[in-house]
Amino acid sequence: MAFGCSWTELTVAERRFFADVNPFGFILFRRNCESPDQVRWLVRELRATVNRADAPVFIDQEGGRVARLQPPRWSKQPAARLFGQIYQEDPDWALEALQISTRIAAHELADLGITANCAPVVDLLFDDGTAALGDRCYGGKPEMVAALARVAAETMLKCGVLPVLKHFPGHGRMRLDPHKTLPTITASRAELEGEDFVPFELLRDIPCGMTSHAVYEALDSNKPASLSTTIHQEIIRGALGFDGLLLSDDLAMKAIIGVLDNLALRAIEAGTDVVLHCSGNMDEMRLVASRLPVMSDPSWARWLRAKEMVSAVDQGYDSADDIARLDTLLGGFAGAVATGMGRDPTEAV
């Protein structure tokens, strides 16, 4: 399990709880991130509660609307869709710009002690899909999405940060926001195999991924992917050939309804390696932890393999040249946002 915390520093109750249950890791949200020094301290304190210096700390720093680290204290990264639009004009230009943008962001994360980023989004963009995805997607062409996502993921790995592909097995077709309700995808299996699954299959060697809370009628009409043994074993592990560490999407999202301890156990039994609970609500965290077994040997082995793929952090990195080059590539956009201008008021919390 991986848990959130309530604020910018740990409460006494959180310290005791984390020490007692020894979670696999932690996840930060915007409420937890006030300044670089404060985040570094919080990350150290989280790891100290479980007495593991390598306990993973996750964050969602996709760029665009979904960014937990905000300017002016951190750089503002473009949304994924921008790179997809550039790719349609000039693939080399897009790939270079994305590599640089990702490198800047990854070094900011590594500098804070954050070890894993829940990105890139590998879902395809569909015209009738929910606005909850929108510009978080690179685009609608599977091969293009895979090419861009690979550059983002491999750049993170080279910069000391574990990428988390999301959302297996692809939920770009959903029309409802899973933060608010349970979406159902009605596409046939042939349609899913021909489009949605393709980028995930092409990226099956990336060591970490996150499952979707959508129901896929053609795969398992009774359960969302995050709780479906069929989708975990036959699709993600089977047809897509993915053997990396699998995280659930946040159990506190309203897409899945039920008692949290039961939902957490069902996700693990379906084949999830790590369940996420992100709100920092202590009563809910206690409930989630109450029935979960110790992390299985296969899951722990996947974590160890994932860690081995992450390079050491380059302590001498200076972002100045990268910011200047990205400014040139994006026509002045990067230079403005790197200093904290142009904040999008619709950013997710």
Side-chain angles (χ1 to χ4, degrees), residues 17-38:
F17 172 73
F18 294 146
D20 287 343
V21 304
N22 189 24
F24 167 72
F26 306 93
I27 186 164
L28 301 182
F29 274 67
R30 192 182 300 179
R31 65 179 181 271
N32 309 124
C33 302
E34 185 176 78
S35 71
D37 285 344
Q38 170 268 320

Side-chain angles (χ1 to χ4, degrees), residues 17 62 65 98 123 130 170 173 189 202 237 255 331 333 338 340:
F17 172 73
E62 297 175 11
R65 291 178 293 131
L98 177 57
D123 304 307
T130 174
R173 294 179 190 268
R189 177 155 181 167
L202 292 173
R237 300 299 191 192
F333 176 79

Side-chain angles (χ1 to χ4, degrees), residues 18-285:
F18 294 146
D20 287 343
V21 304
N22 189 24
F24 167 72
F26 306 93
I27 186 164
L28 301 182
F29 274 67
R30 192 182 300 179
R31 65 179 181 271
N32 309 124
C33 302
E34 185 176 78
S35 71
D37 285 344
Q38 170 268 320
V39 174
R40 289 187 199 99
W41 176 257
L42 178 59
V43 167
R44 287 195 294 267
E45 289 294 283
L46 286 167
R47 291 189 171 120
T49 65
V50 296
N51 196 29
R52 282 185 284 120
D54 65 343
V57 177
F58 297 84
I59 198 167
D60 292 279
Q61 194 70 7
E62 297 175 11
R65 291 178 293 131
V66 180
R68 311 313 184 195
L69 305 177
Q70 285 287 300
R73 298 190 183 274
W74 293 280
S75 66
K76 184 176 176 71
Q77 303 298 316
R81 184 70 187 112
L82 175 64
F83 298 105
Q85 291 169 329
I86 296 171
Y87 189 98
Q88 292 175 312
E89 300 296 325
D90 186 328
D92 291 338
W93 174 22
L95 294 171
E96 182 186 359
L98 177 57
Q99 183 182 53
I100 294 172
S101 180
T102 303
R103 187 161 58 228
I104 294 168
H107 278 286
E108 287 186 330
L109 298 181
D111 176 67
L112 300 172
I114 296 170
T115 46
N117 187 15
C118 296
V121 172
V122 192
D123 304 307
L124 300 183
L125 180 66
F126 289 90
D127 290 340
D128 57 353
T130 174
L133 281 175
D135 64 358
R136 297 169 62 195
C137 302
Y138 291 114
K141 297 180 179 179
E143 289 76 13
M144 179 191 77
V145 170
L148 288 162
R150 178 167 293 283
V151 164
E154 291 184 348
T155 301
M156 286 186 222
L157 288 169
K158 291 175 182 176
C159 296
V161 173
L162 180 68
V164 182
L165 305 178
K166 57 189 188 186
H167 306 79
F168 276 87
H171 68 195
R173 294 179 190 268
M174 65 182 185
R175 298 181 180 181
L176 300 175
D177 182 353
H179 295 87
K180 300 176 181 179
T181 190
L182 177 62
T184 296
I185 292 173
T186 59
S188 69
R189 177 155 181 167
E191 290 173 315
L192 294 170
E193 289 177 342
E195 295 184 277
D196 308 60
F197 291 179
V198 172
F200 290 93
E201 186 175 8
L202 292 173
L203 296 164
R204 60 185 177 273
D205 57 307
I206 302 301
C208 191
M210 179 185 291
T211 56
S212 165
H213 284 325
V215 169
Y216 298 75
E217 285 191 347
L219 307 177
D220 185 339
S221 60
N222 297 314
K223 304 182 192 72
S226 52
L227 304 180
S228 169
T229 301
T230 297
I231 292 176
H232 275 78
Q233 303 305 330
E234 295 184 16
I235 305 301
I236 299 174
R237 300 299 191 192
L240 301 184
F242 181 75
D243 193 34
L245 189 76
L246 264 182
L247 283 63
S248 73
D249 210 339
D250 183 10
L251 292 180
M253 289 167 64
K254 295 179 181 179
I256 52 174
I257 299 173
V259 181
L260 282 171
D261 60 337
N262 185 47
L263 293 174
L265 188 59
R266 287 172 62 193
I268 293 295
E269 290 174 343
T272 299
D273 296 306
V274 179
V275 294
L276 288 180
H277 183 276
C278 303
S279 71
N281 181 294
M282 181 58 71
D283 290 337
E284 292 183 359
M285 290 194 294

Side-chain angles (χ1 to χ4, degrees), residues 254-328:
K254 295 179 181 179
I256 52 174
I257 299 173
V259 181
L260 282 171
D261 60 337
N262 185 47
L263 293 174
L265 188 59
R266 287 172 62 193
I268 293 295
E269 290 174 343
T272 299
D273 296 306
V274 179
V275 294
L276 288 180
H277 183 276
C278 303
S279 71
N281 181 294
M282 181 58 71
D283 290 337
E284 292 183 359
M285 290 194 294
R286 287 195 176 104
L287 193 57
V288 169
S290 65
R291 291 178 62 194
L292 284 185
V294 174
M295 194 172 188
S296 70
D297 289 342
S299 293
W300 188 253
R302 292 187 184 106
W303 162 237
L304 294 179
R305 288 199 303 271
K307 279 205 309 178
E308 290 174 357
M309 293 180 66
V310 181
S311 299
V313 178
D314 178 5
Q315 301 295 339
Y317 173 75
D318 185 337
S319 65
D321 288 344
D322 273 347
I323 289 174
R325 176 60 178 162
L326 190 61
D327 184 30
T328 299

